[in-house]
């Protein structure tokens, strides 16, 4: 494209769609496009007009240099005043609060960092996020801002406008305002989000004497009014509001025209676009949830979530383990508020280990606050604690380091005692195995990655019979007392001398557990990969098309003798080829993720479990540690009582229109899973006792499950007479007032007392 002077004018051929794409382009691509446009831009139609334009540009350049040398930057002064003097920037103790500053351009970001560094005397309290940073570096900056107490200010371009949680702060300044309302919404959404306990404050720096500033002032004034009327929710739909009306067009029209009619048109357009009733309608529409899953899939997901909540690991288990393990590895942690800890230094050994195993958020060198309890994440003055749970780098690294040190000790195993109310006199082996599924193809440079790991626990009898042991059965077991150890050794030597525990356990997991684990992962992985493939194709294809277009434009310009000083067609073509290669590599990686291979189960630990009755048969006396005497009920009668109790509860469930399923053989921590007509699950632990019994015994796991799901967990007590007459079932909902203590393997409860709480 050339004008009458033969000049390349291809820069002019930007459609509205091109401009919208550029708004969403990475920082480096946006800067390049802006430079290309401004390098060739001119409104001159004649030589004289061009000379006049050049003269004007020289004058503007002289003025700009004078402003730069003077250091009199009004906008920076306003920002500096805000940072230093505004009362919201400090808490009641005078400490500086966390602040997010957004700007449009990376050059401006660099300038602001330099200015604030001079103001504070150091850059240690500043982190930045921009489009040129890699994903891992962005994660580090985000984590530092949220957890490093010394980091007070985050300066960011719109690379931090979406997908990053900056809720640690509740103060934000827009140094530059974007022309795309979606970006304004995304920026404020980084701090103004569900769970934010503080009132969020947003400052927009606008040069009110400019045409652009006047449009923004009118828009922001209207925005403030409607935001107050709609209880702060206007930002939820701000991007949608301008879908039919281009804010960019309004701004360009205002900048180009001096007409008062333009001012009136701008006011009228903003008033119409930000109409109160229209905003309410958009909010109501957005609140509607669309059903995209069929009822069967929804029900299946619901049941999995209910079971997962029932079996979840209580925070006090994680907290107790972490404290012991972290101190064992040389770390120290200080309790600052209720259930909230401060870690000032992470041992070098752990940071080194994280670099070896880390695949997600990196481990920081210190944490201002951590907590193991979800209810204590939010603290005073917006001081959010990192929630340490499985998947957090701090916990994962500690677990991995402990396993690295003591893995062989786990394999050697131990001996435990089952002190529950049982009549069996047979020892059993409790075996923990790991089944893993790997993805992709193994090469010399890239070994297969682990896609999923599953711990499996099983019981093995001396005759080789194998059955599931539930999730954490060892919590119901105890260590032998000192005066029991000699007897235990004798029992173990007699019972397990010729049994191959490992091969029996591995065979069971390979045949029963591994296929189900593989099928579940394969189903989820295929869906996940296809969704990711669509997103990758969409994003990279747009980038490739952009650089192909740029390469062709530059080639035509070079043929006309117009050579760009920073970018040539060969570089643009190379950029396109790099993106093609990246796309191909990413697609290969996604294909590899669908290639799954099930690995052989691996033994992780084994324990021989001795029942109390067998100990006492060999000891012929009650243990001084309080072990209960042998049970007087014979095994046959006891088994019959349990069967009658189960039948009574199942019949009662059916009478109420429920669907009961016996899961007692699966050692889940409850005996019956009953589905209600609306699809909810009831988890029922059945306690059958002979008529006249005065107490029941509940295990650690039964207490844990009841505490985890108090509204859906029931104790069903059934008293059975000699002729199988039944008193009950007596249902007790939410039977436990507290979670079990870590070392508590069982708890005895008076039947009369708990029946008085019958639901």
């Amino acid at each position: 494209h050339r004008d009458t002077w033969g000049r390349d004018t291809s820069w002019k051929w930007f459609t509205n769609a091109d401009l919208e794409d550029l708004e969403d382009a990475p920082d480096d691509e946006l800067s390049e496009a802006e430079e290309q446009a401004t390098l060739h831009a001119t409104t001159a139609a004649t030589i004289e007009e061009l000379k006049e334009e050049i003269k004007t540009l020289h004058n503007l350049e002289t003025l700009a240099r004078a402003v730069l040398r003077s250091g009199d930057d009004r906008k920076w002064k306003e920002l500096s005043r805000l940072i230093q003097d505004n009362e919201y920037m400090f808490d009641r103790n005078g400490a500086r609060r966390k602040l997010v500053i957004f700007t449009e351009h990376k050059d401006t970001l660099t300038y602001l960092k330099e200015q604030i560094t001079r103001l504070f005397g150091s850059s240690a309290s500043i982190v930045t996020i921009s489009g040129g940073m890699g994903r891992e570096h962005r994660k580090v900056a985000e984590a530092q801002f949220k957890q490093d107490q010394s980091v007070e200010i985050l300066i960011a371009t719109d690379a931090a406008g979406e997908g990053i949680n900056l809720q640690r702060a509740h103060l934000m300044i827009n140094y530059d305002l974007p022309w795309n309302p979606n970006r304004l919404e995304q920026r404020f959404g980084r701090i103004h989000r569900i769970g934010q306990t503080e009132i969020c404050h947003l400052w927009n720096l606008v040069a009110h004497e400019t045409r652009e500033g006047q449009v923004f002032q009118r828009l922001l004034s209207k925005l403030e009014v409607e935001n107050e009327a709609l209880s702060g929710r206007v930002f939820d739909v701000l991007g949608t509001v301008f879908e039919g009306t281009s804010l960019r067009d309004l701004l360009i029209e205002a900048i180009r025209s001096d007409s008062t009619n333009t001012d009136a048109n701008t006011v009228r357009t903003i008033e119409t676009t930000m109409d109160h009733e229209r905003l309410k309608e958009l909010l109501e529409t957005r609140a509607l949830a669309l059903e995209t899953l069929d009822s069967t899939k929804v029900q299946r997901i619901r049941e999995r979530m209910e079971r997962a909540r029932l079996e979840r690991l209580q925070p006090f288990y994680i907290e107790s383990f972490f404290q012991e393990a972290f101190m064992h590895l040389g770390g120290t942690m200080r309790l600052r508020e209720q259930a909230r800890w401060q870690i000032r230094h992470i041992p070098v050994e752990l940071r080194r280990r994280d670099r070896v195993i880390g695949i997600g958020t990196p481990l920081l060198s210190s944490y201002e606050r951590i907590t193991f309890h979800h209810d204590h994440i939010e603290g005073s003055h917006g001081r959010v604690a990192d929630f340490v749970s499985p998947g957090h780098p701090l916990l994962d690294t500690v677990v991995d380091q402990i396993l690295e040190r003591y893995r062989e000790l786990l394999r050697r195993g131990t001996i435990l005692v089952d002190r529950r109310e049982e009549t069996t006199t047979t020892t059993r082996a409790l075996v923990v195995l790991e089944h893993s599924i790997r993805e992709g193809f193994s090469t010399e440079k890239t070994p297969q990655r682990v896609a999923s790991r599953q711990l499996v626990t099983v019981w093995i009898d001396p005759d080789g019979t194998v059955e599931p042991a539930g999730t954490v059965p060892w919590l119901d077991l105890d260590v032998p007392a000192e005066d029991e150890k000699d007897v235990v050794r004798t029992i173990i030597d007699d019972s397990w001398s010729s049994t191959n525990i490992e091969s029996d356990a591995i065979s069971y997991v390979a045949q029963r557990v591994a296929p189900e684990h593989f099928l579940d992962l394969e189903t989820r992985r295929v869906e996940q990969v296809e969704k990711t493939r669509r997103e990758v194709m969409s994003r990279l294809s747009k980038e490739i098309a952009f650089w192909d277009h740029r390469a062709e434009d530059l080639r035509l310009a070079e043929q006309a003798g117009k050579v760009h000083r920073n970018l040539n067609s060969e570089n643009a073509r190379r950029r396109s080829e790099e993106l093609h290669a990246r796309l191909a590599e990413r697609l290969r990686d996604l294909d590899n993720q669908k290639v799954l291979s099930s690995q052989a189960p691996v033994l992780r630990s084994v324990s021989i479990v001795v029942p109390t009755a067998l100990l006492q048969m060999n000891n012929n006396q009650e243990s001084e540690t309080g072990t209960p005497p042998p049970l007087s009920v014979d095994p046959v009668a006891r088994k019959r009582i349990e069967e009658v109790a189960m039948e009574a509860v199942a019949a009662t469930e059916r009478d109420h229109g429920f669907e009961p399923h016996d899961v007692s053989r699966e050692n889940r921590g409850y005996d019956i899973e009953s589905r209600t007509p609306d699809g909810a699950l009831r988890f029922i632990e059945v306690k059958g006792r002979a008529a006249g019994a005065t107490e029941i015994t509940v295990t650690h796991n039964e207490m844990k499950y009841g505490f985890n799901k108090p509204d859906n967990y029931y104790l069903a007590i059934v008293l059975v007479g000699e002729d199988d007459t039944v008193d009950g079932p007596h249902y007790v909902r939410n039977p436990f007032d507290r979670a079990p203590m870590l070392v508590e393997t069982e708890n005895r409860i008076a039947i009369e007392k708990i029946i008085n709480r019958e639901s």
Side-chain angles (χ1 to χ4, degrees), residues 614-681:
L614 182 58
L615 267 179
Q616 292 177 350
M617 285 176 58
N618 285 267
N619 223 5
N620 293 322
Q621 61 180 356
E622 182 175 346
S623 167
E624 294 179 3
T625 61
T627 303
L631 295 166
S632 58
V633 181
D634 68 85
V636 176
R638 177 62 182 277
K639 184 177 181 181
R640 179 58 188 160
I641 288 172
E642 291 174 349
E643 290 175 350
V644 171
M646 289 287 289
E647 291 169 2
V649 173
T652 302
E653 291 295 298
R654 284 191 290 268
D655 289 343
H656 284 84
F658 304 152
E659 299 176 26
H661 299 278
D662 184 348
V663 295
S664 57
R665 295 286 295 175
E666 299 176 27
N667 292 297
R668 296 189 185 181
Y670 54 94
D671 297 313
I672 292 178
E673 187 176 275
S674 186
R675 185 179 292 107
T676 66
D678 64 356
L681 293 180

Side-chain angles (χ1 to χ4, degrees), residues 2 96-97 117 164 187 226 237 399 465 566 637 651 712 715:
R2 304 180 182 283
R96 184 174 291 280
R97 288 179 168 139
T117 297
I164 294 180
R187 288 180 181 183
E226 293 301 334
V237 293
V399 169
T465 302
N566 292 328
N712 299 76
L715 271 184

Side-chain angles (χ1 to χ4, degrees), residues 743-758:
V743 295
E744 187 176 25
T745 58
E746 65 178 25
N747 186 22
R748 292 175 178 270
I749 303 174
I751 291 177
E752 182 179 359
K753 177 182 177 182
I754 199 164
I755 283 181
N756 288 335
R757 295 176 54 190
E758 186 173 351

